[in-house]
Amino acid sequence: LSYTGYYPWKIPRGALNVHEARKWRFINAVIYNPIIGLIKISFLLTLIKLQSPNRYIRLALWSIMVLTFMTMISGPLIIIFECWPMEAHWDYTVGHCVDRRITILSGVSLALLTDVLVLFMPTWILYGLQIERRKKFQVIAFLSLGVAVTAIGAYRLASFVIVLNVSNGETESTHTIRPTLSNIECNLAAIAACGATIKWLLGLFIPYFDSS
C-alpha cells in the first residue's frame, strides 16, 4: 500500500493510497512495543532461570524486566493518544497531535536502552563461571545474538532523527527501508532470543558446538 522501496517516479499515478498507508504504519507502531517487549521478557526469564548466585545480577535482571514491561504498556498508549481524534494519525487535515518528534525519539531511545541492557546481561552472568574458555565464549556469543537487534535499533534511531528533521517526517521519500526497520528488529529479536536453543540444535549435528 505504501510502495515502500519504490522510486517515486516508478509508482503508477493514483496508485498510492496515502491514508491507508499511514493507517497501517500507525497499527505497526502500536504493536511494535508489545512484540519487542514480550521477546525481551522471554529472554530475561531464560537468564533468570540460570539462578545466578550474584544478587546484583538478579536485581539487574528484574529491574530490566520491570522497565521493559512499563515500556511495553506505556508505548502503545502514548502512540494511540498522541493524536485526537484517532483519524488524525493518518489524516493530517483533522484533529491535532502533540509534537511527534518527542514521542517517537524518546520511545525509540528507550527501546534501544533496554536492548543494550539485555545484551550486556549474558556476558555479566557467564563471565565468572569456571568452565572452559572456548565453551564460555561460545555460550556468550549465542546468548549475545541480540547485538544485531541493537545495531538495527541504533540505525532506526539515526534514521528517525534525519526524517523528523525534514518537515516532521511528512516529506519522506518512498525509496527507503525505514518503515520496515521495526519489523526487521522484531524478527531478529525473536531469533536472537532463541540463541541457546540454536546452539543446542547445532550441537546435535556439529560436535564443536556441543557443550552439554
PDB file of all heavy atoms in Angstrom, residues 7-19:
ATOM      1  N   TYR A   7      11.051   3.868  -6.174  1.00  0.00           N
ATOM      2  CA  TYR A   7      11.335   5.257  -6.504  1.00  0.00           C
ATOM      3  C   TYR A   7      10.002   5.950  -6.779  1.00  0.00           C
ATOM      4  O   TYR A   7       9.100   5.349  -7.383  1.00  0.00           O
ATOM      5  CB  TYR A   7      12.222   5.355  -7.742  1.00  0.00           C
ATOM      6  CG  TYR A   7      13.663   4.986  -7.498  1.00  0.00           C
ATOM      7  CD1 TYR A   7      14.195   3.781  -7.971  1.00  0.00           C
ATOM      8  CD2 TYR A   7      14.506   5.847  -6.800  1.00  0.00           C
ATOM      9  CE1 TYR A   7      15.515   3.439  -7.747  1.00  0.00           C
ATOM     10  CE2 TYR A   7      15.831   5.516  -6.572  1.00  0.00           C
ATOM     11  CZ  TYR A   7      16.327   4.311  -7.040  1.00  0.00           C
ATOM     12  OH  TYR A   7      17.642   3.982  -6.810  1.00  0.00           O
ATOM     13  N   PRO A   8       9.850   7.203  -6.344  1.00  0.00           N
ATOM     14  CA  PRO A   8       8.564   7.896  -6.528  1.00  0.00           C
ATOM     15  C   PRO A   8       8.084   7.906  -7.975  1.00  0.00           C
ATOM     16  O   PRO A   8       6.884   7.787  -8.227  1.00  0.00           O
ATOM     17  CB  PRO A   8       8.868   9.315  -6.024  1.00  0.00           C
ATOM     18  CG  PRO A   8       9.968   9.137  -5.025  1.00  0.00           C
ATOM     19  CD  PRO A   8      10.812   8.013  -5.564  1.00  0.00           C
ATOM     20  N   TRP A   9       9.018   8.042  -8.929  1.00  0.00           N
ATOM     21  CA  TRP A   9       8.598   8.123 -10.326  1.00  0.00           C
ATOM     22  C   TRP A   9       8.195   6.770 -10.914  1.00  0.00           C
ATOM     23  O   TRP A   9       7.695   6.702 -12.031  1.00  0.00           O
ATOM     24  CB  TRP A   9       9.689   8.769 -11.178  1.00  0.00           C
ATOM     25  CG  TRP A   9      11.003   8.040 -11.159  1.00  0.00           C
ATOM     26  CD1 TRP A   9      11.381   6.982 -11.925  1.00  0.00           C
ATOM     27  CD2 TRP A   9      12.122   8.320 -10.318  1.00  0.00           C
ATOM     28  NE1 TRP A   9      12.647   6.586 -11.631  1.00  0.00           N
ATOM     29  CE2 TRP A   9      13.144   7.397 -10.638  1.00  0.00           C
ATOM     30  CE3 TRP A   9      12.375   9.279  -9.326  1.00  0.00           C
ATOM     31  CZ2 TRP A   9      14.374   7.388  -9.996  1.00  0.00           C
ATOM     32  CZ3 TRP A   9      13.607   9.272  -8.698  1.00  0.00           C
ATOM     33  CH2 TRP A   9      14.587   8.334  -9.022  1.00  0.00           C
ATOM     34  N   LYS A  10       8.401   5.677 -10.145  1.00  0.00           N
ATOM     35  CA  LYS A  10       8.001   4.356 -10.621  1.00  0.00           C
ATOM     36  C   LYS A  10       6.637   3.923 -10.078  1.00  0.00           C
ATOM     37  O   LYS A  10       6.159   2.846 -10.401  1.00  0.00           O
ATOM     38  CB  LYS A  10       9.057   3.314 -10.244  1.00  0.00           C
ATOM     39  CG  LYS A  10      10.356   3.448 -11.026  1.00  0.00           C
ATOM     40  CD  LYS A  10      11.278   2.273 -10.782  1.00  0.00           C
ATOM     41  CE  LYS A  10      12.536   2.370 -11.651  1.00  0.00           C
ATOM     42  NZ  LYS A  10      13.430   1.202 -11.471  1.00  0.00           N
ATOM     43  N   ILE A  11       6.042   4.763  -9.227  1.00  0.00           N
ATOM     44  CA  ILE A  11       4.725   4.447  -8.676  1.00  0.00           C
ATOM     45  C   ILE A  11       3.657   4.904  -9.666  1.00  0.00           C
ATOM     46  O   ILE A  11       3.647   6.068 -10.077  1.00  0.00           O
ATOM     47  CB  ILE A  11       4.521   5.163  -7.326  1.00  0.00           C
ATOM     48  CG1 ILE A  11       5.604   4.728  -6.335  1.00  0.00           C
ATOM     49  CG2 ILE A  11       3.127   4.852  -6.776  1.00  0.00           C
ATOM     50  CD1 ILE A  11       5.552   5.476  -5.017  1.00  0.00           C
ATOM     51  N   PRO A  12       2.756   4.021 -10.101  1.00  0.00           N
ATOM     52  CA  PRO A  12       1.693   4.416 -11.043  1.00  0.00           C
ATOM     53  C   PRO A  12       0.877   5.568 -10.481  1.00  0.00           C
ATOM     54  O   PRO A  12       0.600   5.624  -9.276  1.00  0.00           O
ATOM     55  CB  PRO A  12       0.844   3.149 -11.174  1.00  0.00           C
ATOM     56  CG  PRO A  12       1.766   2.032 -10.787  1.00  0.00           C
ATOM     57  CD  PRO A  12       2.685   2.595  -9.754  1.00  0.00           C
ATOM     58  N   ARG A  13       0.488   6.474 -11.351  1.00  0.00           N
ATOM     59  CA  ARG A  13      -0.275   7.644 -10.927  1.00  0.00           C
ATOM     60  C   ARG A  13      -1.586   7.210 -10.256  1.00  0.00           C
ATOM     61  O   ARG A  13      -2.348   6.422 -10.806  1.00  0.00           O
ATOM     62  CB  ARG A  13      -0.583   8.536 -12.139  1.00  0.00           C
ATOM     63  CG  ARG A  13      -1.275   9.860 -11.766  1.00  0.00           C
ATOM     64  CD  ARG A  13      -1.571  10.664 -13.021  1.00  0.00           C
ATOM     65  NE  ARG A  13      -0.341  11.033 -13.711  1.00  0.00           N
ATOM     66  CZ  ARG A  13       0.413  12.095 -13.399  1.00  0.00           C
ATOM     67  NH1 ARG A  13       0.034  12.898 -12.413  1.00  0.00           N
ATOM     68  NH2 ARG A  13       1.513  12.361 -14.079  1.00  0.00           N
ATOM     69  N   GLY A  14      -1.805   7.714  -9.050  1.00  0.00           N
ATOM     70  CA  GLY A  14      -3.041   7.412  -8.323  1.00  0.00           C
ATOM     71  C   GLY A  14      -3.019   6.093  -7.575  1.00  0.00           C
ATOM     72  O   GLY A  14      -4.004   5.742  -6.910  1.00  0.00           O
ATOM     73  N   ALA A  15      -1.924   5.337  -7.662  1.00  0.00           N
ATOM     74  CA  ALA A  15      -1.886   4.018  -7.032  1.00  0.00           C
ATOM     75  C   ALA A  15      -1.611   4.102  -5.532  1.00  0.00           C
ATOM     76  O   ALA A  15      -2.023   3.223  -4.770  1.00  0.00           O
ATOM     77  CB  ALA A  15      -0.814   3.154  -7.694  1.00  0.00           C
ATOM     78  N   LEU A  16      -0.909   5.149  -5.104  1.00  0.00           N
ATOM     79  CA  LEU A  16      -0.516   5.277  -3.702  1.00  0.00           C
ATOM     80  C   LEU A  16      -1.670   5.839  -2.878  1.00  0.00           C
ATOM     81  O   LEU A  16      -2.068   6.992  -3.064  1.00  0.00           O
ATOM     82  CB  LEU A  16       0.720   6.170  -3.575  1.00  0.00           C
ATOM     83  CG  LEU A  16       1.232   6.435  -2.160  1.00  0.00           C
ATOM     84  CD1 LEU A  16       1.586   5.132  -1.462  1.00  0.00           C
ATOM     85  CD2 LEU A  16       2.442   7.361  -2.183  1.00  0.00           C
ATOM     86  N   ASN A  17      -2.212   5.029  -1.996  1.00  0.00           N
ATOM     87  CA  ASN A  17      -3.264   5.466  -1.080  1.00  0.00           C
ATOM     88  C   ASN A  17      -2.601   5.913   0.224  1.00  0.00           C
ATOM     89  O   ASN A  17      -2.300   5.099   1.094  1.00  0.00           O
ATOM     90  CB  ASN A  17      -4.254   4.327  -0.821  1.00  0.00           C
ATOM     91  CG  ASN A  17      -5.480   4.790  -0.046  1.00  0.00           C
ATOM     92  OD1 ASN A  17      -5.392   5.671   0.805  1.00  0.00           O
ATOM     93  ND2 ASN A  17      -6.627   4.172  -0.338  1.00  0.00           N
ATOM     94  N   VAL A  18      -2.353   7.208   0.326  1.00  0.00           N
ATOM     95  CA  VAL A  18      -1.580   7.744   1.446  1.00  0.00           C
ATOM     96  C   VAL A  18      -2.259   7.459   2.782  1.00  0.00           C
ATOM     97  O   VAL A  18      -1.601   7.052   3.756  1.00  0.00           O
ATOM     98  CB  VAL A  18      -1.353   9.256   1.267  1.00  0.00           C
ATOM     99  CG1 VAL A  18      -0.631   9.827   2.485  1.00  0.00           C
ATOM    100  CG2 VAL A  18      -0.540   9.526   0.013  1.00  0.00           C
ATOM    101  N   HIS A  19      -3.569   7.656   2.857  1.00  0.00           N
ATOM    102  CA  HIS A  19      -4.279   7.451   4.121  1.00  0.00           C
ATOM    103  C   HIS A  19      -4.204   5.995   4.578  1.00  0.00           C
ATOM    104  O   HIS A  19      -3.983   5.724   5.766  1.00  0.00           O
ATOM    105  CB  HIS A  19      -5.741   7.887   3.977  1.00  0.00           C
ATOM    106  CG  HIS A  19      -5.917   9.370   4.003  1.00  0.00           C
ATOM    107  ND1 HIS A  19      -7.153   9.977   4.032  1.00  0.00           N
ATOM    108  CD2 HIS A  19      -5.014  10.387   4.008  1.00  0.00           C
ATOM    109  CE1 HIS A  19      -7.008  11.295   4.049  1.00  0.00           C
ATOM    110  NE2 HIS A  19      -5.712  11.557   4.031  1.00  0.00           N
TER     111      HIS A  19
END
